[in-house]
Amino acid sequence: MQNLDNIIGIHLLNEHSKNYYHWLYEVIPKLILINNYIINDEYYKNQRYVLIVDENLFKQMFEIINLIVKFEYQINEIDDLNGIHCKQLIYCTDFWISQDNTRFKPNVVEEFFVDKYAVQLVLNSLKQYKSSIVPSRRIYLQRKGARQLINQKEIETVLKNFEFEFVNVSSLSFLEQIKLFSEASTVVGASGAAFSNIV
């Protein structure tokens, strides 16, 4: 158990926060609200903070934090087996809940939704980084490992004929991803968290 008695903890843990999609649209909106509160409050803007996050996040997730947060902070990565004791903790409740732990086939309409306000917070906070180029690029999101398409080679041959760019987004910085997707007119690929960027 770590003890953070002399610093204010900011809770950014989430059931699925190691996933890029869940991080971007569940965790980051809460961080945006917390950031706005802290920088506009005389007491809180002069305090010391630690952001409490899951361990082993992707580098792009830390890049997002750096773009959003406008106060001094340090980061504390925590695993499932350890705890942190804080004298003071800032916690923002969830905007929405994905009920994906069910015994029955989930009803996508009733059990899975995205909060429009949360998405708008992210868009407003990051819109300055979008490209001003008219969207025209055709992007194919390459994927390795899970969710390989059965006829992937045939699909890739067709996409090459239509002059698609083959992109592995995990190799791009977050700002490079914003630029890429804001310049894209068409994005195709196997389902995955990279599609979060089409917003």
Side-chain angles (χ1 to χ4, degrees), residues 58-74:
F58 296 109
K59 65 178 182 178
Q60 294 89 344
M61 296 168 159
F62 292 107
E63 292 172 22
I64 299 169
I65 290 174
N66 290 330
L67 294 173
I68 297 295
V69 176
K70 306 300 182 201
F71 56 85
E72 293 291 322
Y73 67 91
Q74 63 189 61

Side-chain angles (χ1 to χ4, degrees), residues 137-192:
R137 296 170 72 177
R138 296 174 180 174
I139 308 299
Y140 168 60
L141 303 178
Q142 292 179 301
R143 189 177 178 105
K144 296 179 181 176
R147 295 189 197 143
Q148 291 285 331
L149 300 172
I150 295 171
N151 59 341
Q152 184 164 326
K153 289 183 181 177
E154 292 88 347
I155 290 171
E156 290 179 354
T157 300
V158 171
L159 294 174
K160 284 179 185 174
N161 291 335
F162 283 95
E163 300 178 349
F164 272 76
E165 298 175 52
F166 287 43
V167 178
N168 176 358
V169 293
S170 64
S171 67
L172 301 177
S173 72
F174 182 67
L175 288 177
E176 289 171 331
Q177 290 182 45
I178 290 178
K179 181 179 185 298
L180 173 72
F181 280 81
S182 63
E183 294 176 359
S185 60
T186 308
V187 179
V188 298
S191 176

Side-chain angles (χ1 to χ4, degrees), residues 66-129:
N66 290 330
L67 294 173
I68 297 295
V69 176
K70 306 300 182 201
F71 56 85
E72 293 291 322
Y73 67 91
Q74 63 189 61
I75 292 179
N76 194 326
E77 297 180 63
I78 187 168
D79 62 32
D80 295 337
L81 300 176
N82 291 313
I84 293 181
H85 178 268
C86 299
K87 187 173 183 180
Q88 189 170 3
L89 178 73
I90 296 176
Y91 174 81
C92 182
T93 56
D94 292 325
F95 286 89
W96 60 287
I97 297 173
S98 165
Q99 297 179 358
D100 56 358
N101 297 319
T102 177
R103 295 182 300 145
F104 309 103
K105 184 175 180 180
N107 181 324
V108 177
V109 174
E110 294 179 4
E111 297 182 2
F112 189 87
F113 60 92
V114 177
D115 186 275
K116 290 180 184 178
Y117 178 63
V119 173
Q120 199 59 53
L121 281 171
V122 174
L123 290 175
N124 291 343
S125 295
L126 299 172
K127 66 183 174 186
Q128 67 196 36
Y129 304 108

